[in-house]
Amino acid sequence: MQPLRWQVAVVAAAGLALALETLPTVLRWLWVRRRQRPRREVLFFPSQVTCTEALLRSPGATPSGCPCSLPHGESSLSRLLSALLAARVSLELCLFAFSSPQLGRAVQLLHQRGVRVRVVTDCDYMALNGSQIGLLRKAGIQVRHDQDLGYMHHKFAIVDRRVLITGSLNWTTQAIQNNRENVLIVEDEEYVRLFLEEFERIWEEFDPTRFSFFPQKERAR
Amino acid sequence: MQPLRWQVAVVAAAGLALALETLPTVLRWLWVRRRQRPRREVLFFPSQVTCTEALLRSPGATPSGCPCSLPHGESSLSRLLSALLAARVSLELCLFAFSSPQLGRAVQLLHQRGVRVRVVTDCDYMALNGSQIGLLRKAGIQVRHDQDLGYMHHKFAIVDRRVLITGSLNWTTQAIQNNRENVLIVEDEEYVRLFLEEFERIWEEFDPTRFSFFPQKERAR
């Protein structure tokens, strides 16, 4: 029996070596496959009102299901929240109006997790009743706003410099629950680069040290 | 010299035959190449104010350059106009607010050229001062609008069921010239299909024969 055992051992070792050799190829193939199918999603609103507690639970909170009477399935809002909450490193937000409590909680959660959050918004809407901007600032998140006559009317987010979220949706409960809206979630290098460039342009321009208050009066001088 | 001429003729004929044989392959290669690089463009606003007369000239108008004092180069608005004016068969518009005279002229021009134009808009904005909706209707273009409490807040166009134009931009001069806005122009089968489905859903739902006026009162009965 000894020679047979020896042969089995040789065959097993050869098989193992072959598996180890092909492992990187297989892993690369899987990675390339994942790369070849970048994230692409289109969300339409109004969104069904669903419970989003499971998504927005702070780490350490009790993991039991929420007992509320809302449906607990997926909705356009829950998919938007998931796309945002995937952030691990950075989140750039460029939003005309931001008053949705759920989206506000998501952004604060990311900030607590150490994600670098930067927000650009419009000065005319940031102080309205129900705006999330004050809460975000209170939580220590950097926010900059325009001082222009025109609106900062973008509604986009960039997650981890990899995924662009953009569309017609202002981040308000009115828009989420009542309006016809669309949001694209797209993992695309070129789009992300162009929108990041736009974000950085606006971020620099809205640097408060550059503000010249009463610009019309300045010009009239 | 006779045999040489004969040889030249044979070589030339063989070359011609080869060229004719490879022509379909070359054409298909060019077509595939074009297919592989579908249109992708990102426009940011505010747009520089440029003269758009050359784009909006009716067929048969004098082709001389416009003598106005505006710059005559490209701008975000002129690129948006070009993308729309490429329509040959159909144009679906789903617009919250539409008051830009240039974009209104472009849509009327397409209608005159026989392009099937359909417009969906929001009832709260369509009758405001400067709205293009009345002019489009007067020109014989089909327009439908909501009767909801929520806004029809989309801002997208579909050109020839092939190119999607979507973003944050309302089609108003205020937005084009003063706001920070973005528009994606994207030739993408999947996006076009999803947005066309959304358009058809809304188009059917906003069919005036289905209107139930005073819906709150109806519900209260």
Side-chain angles (χ1 to χ4, degrees):
Chain A
M1 287 302 285
Q2 281 299 341
L4 187 62
R5 272 197 198 159
W6 182 83
Q7 281 162 346
V8 167
V10 166
V11 168
L16 186 67
L18 188 69
L20 283 173
E21 198 176 354
T22 55
L23 189 65
T25 314
V26 171
L27 287 176
R28 209 174 59 218
W29 179 80
L30 286 170
W31 187 81
V32 165
R33 231 181 107 90
R34 202 183 74 89
R35 288 284 93 185
Q36 279 171 346
R37 294 195 186 180
R39 186 165 190 169
R40 282 165 63 96
E41 217 171 326
V42 180
L43 309 180
F44 289 110
F45 294 79
S47 172
Q48 194 199 356
V49 181
T50 57
C51 175
T52 51
E53 283 307 304
L55 285 167
L56 293 170
R57 242 183 342 235
S58 302
T62 44
S64 62
C66 175
C68 80
S69 60
L70 289 175
H72 286 72
E74 261 206 342
S75 65
S76 291
L77 174 60
S78 75
R79 287 164 71 193
L80 175 58
L81 284 167
S82 298
L84 287 169
L85 289 165
R88 293 290 170 269
V89 181
S90 63
L91 177 69
E92 281 81 25
L93 297 177
C94 214
L95 294 168
F96 175 55
F98 188 175
S99 61
S100 157
Q102 287 99 326
L103 288 163
R105 278 177 65 191
V107 173
Q108 289 210 37
L109 208 55
L110 291 172
H111 174 66
Q112 286 161 21
R113 287 179 191 165
V115 172
R116 185 200 184 199
V117 180
R118 291 185 293 165
V119 182
V120 163
T121 192
D122 185 83
C123 65
D124 293 312
Y125 277 72
M126 68 181 184
L128 290 192
N129 248 354
S131 169
Q132 290 290 314
I133 298 297
L135 296 173
L136 299 185
R137 280 191 159 141
K138 216 169 163 180
I141 293 170
Q142 301 178 79
V143 180
R144 292 187 179 178
H145 62 83
D146 65 328
Q147 59 158 358
D148 296 350
L149 295 178
Y151 288 129
M152 205 311 296
H153 200 244
H154 287 303
K155 309 109 173 31
F156 70 81
I158 303 164
V159 175
D160 288 345
R161 306 173 78 86
R162 205 169 46 86
V163 175
L164 171 68
I165 300 173
T166 188
S168 68
L169 184 84
N170 290 312
W171 286 18
T172 69
T173 303
Q174 148 74 19
I176 292 165
Q177 293 186 4
N178 299 308
N179 290 1
R180 310 273 174 162
E181 307 272 6
N182 64 77
V183 169
L184 302 183
I185 302 174
V186 51
E187 193 177 343
D188 182 289
E189 252 180 59
E190 192 191 355
Y191 286 153
V192 165
R193 180 178 56 75
L194 291 169
F195 277 78
L196 254 180
E197 282 170 12
E198 173 74 353
F199 182 89
E200 297 295 352
R201 258 195 304 273
I202 295 177
W203 185 254
E204 283 313 308
E205 206 178 306
F206 290 3
D207 181 343
T209 62
R210 297 184 182 203
F211 276 11
S212 61
F213 288 99
F214 311 115
Q216 294 101 323
K217 285 187 188 171
E218 291 285 331
R219 261 182 241 129
R221 271 182 203 167
Chain B
M1 287 303 285
Q2 281 300 338
L4 187 62
R5 273 196 197 159
W6 181 82
Q7 281 163 344
V8 167
V10 165
V11 169
L16 187 66
L18 189 70
L20 284 173
E21 198 176 353
T22 54
L23 190 65
T25 313
V26 171
L27 287 176
R28 207 174 59 220
W29 179 80
L30 286 170
W31 186 81
V32 166
R33 231 181 107 91
R34 202 182 75 87
R35 287 284 95 182
Q36 280 171 346
R37 294 194 185 180
R39 185 165 188 169
R40 282 165 63 98
E41 217 170 327
V42 180
L43 308 180
F44 289 110
F45 294 79
S47 172
Q48 194 198 357
V49 181
T50 57
C51 175
T52 52
E53 283 308 304
L55 285 167
L56 294 169
R57 243 183 342 236
S58 302
T62 43
S64 62
C66 175
C68 80
S69 60
L70 289 174
H72 285 72
E74 262 206 342
S75 65
S76 291
L77 174 60
S78 75
R79 288 165 70 192
L80 175 57
L81 284 166
S82 298
L84 287 169
L85 290 165
R88 292 290 170 269
V89 181
S90 63
L91 177 68
E92 282 82 24
L93 296 178
C94 214
L95 294 169
F96 175 55
F98 188 175
S99 61
S100 157
Q102 288 100 323
L103 288 163
R105 279 177 64 191
V107 173
Q108 289 211 35
L109 208 54
L110 291 171
H111 174 66
Q112 286 161 20
R113 287 180 190 164
V115 172
R116 183 200 185 200
V117 180
R118 291 185 293 165
V119 182
V120 163
T121 192
D122 186 83
C123 65
D124 294 311
Y125 277 73
M126 68 182 183
L128 290 192
N129 248 355
S131 170
Q132 289 291 312
I133 298 298
L135 297 172
L136 299 185
R137 280 190 159 141
K138 216 169 163 181
I141 293 170
Q142 300 179 79
V143 179
R144 292 186 179 179
H145 62 82
D146 65 328
Q147 58 157 0
D148 297 349
L149 295 178
Y151 289 129
M152 206 309 298
H153 200 244
H154 286 303
K155 310 105 173 33
F156 70 81
I158 302 165
V159 175
D160 287 346
R161 305 173 79 87
R162 205 170 45 86
V163 175
L164 170 68
I165 299 173
T166 189
S168 68
L169 184 85
N170 289 313
W171 286 18
T172 69
T173 303
Q174 148 74 19
I176 292 164
Q177 293 185 5
N178 299 307
N179 289 2
R180 310 274 174 161
E181 306 273 6
N182 64 77
V183 169
L184 301 184
I185 303 174
V186 50
E187 193 177 342
D188 182 290
E189 253 179 58
E190 192 191 356
Y191 287 152
V192 165
R193 181 178 55 77
L194 291 170
F195 277 79
L196 254 180
E197 282 170 11
E198 172 74 352
F199 182 89
E200 298 295 353
R201 257 194 305 273
I202 296 177
W203 185 253
E204 283 313 308
E205 205 179 308
F206 291 2
D207 181 343
T209 63
R210 296 184 182 205
F211 276 10
S212 63
F213 288 99
F214 311 115
Q216 293 101 323
K217 287 187 187 171
E218 291 284 330
R219 260 182 242 129
R221 269 183 203 167

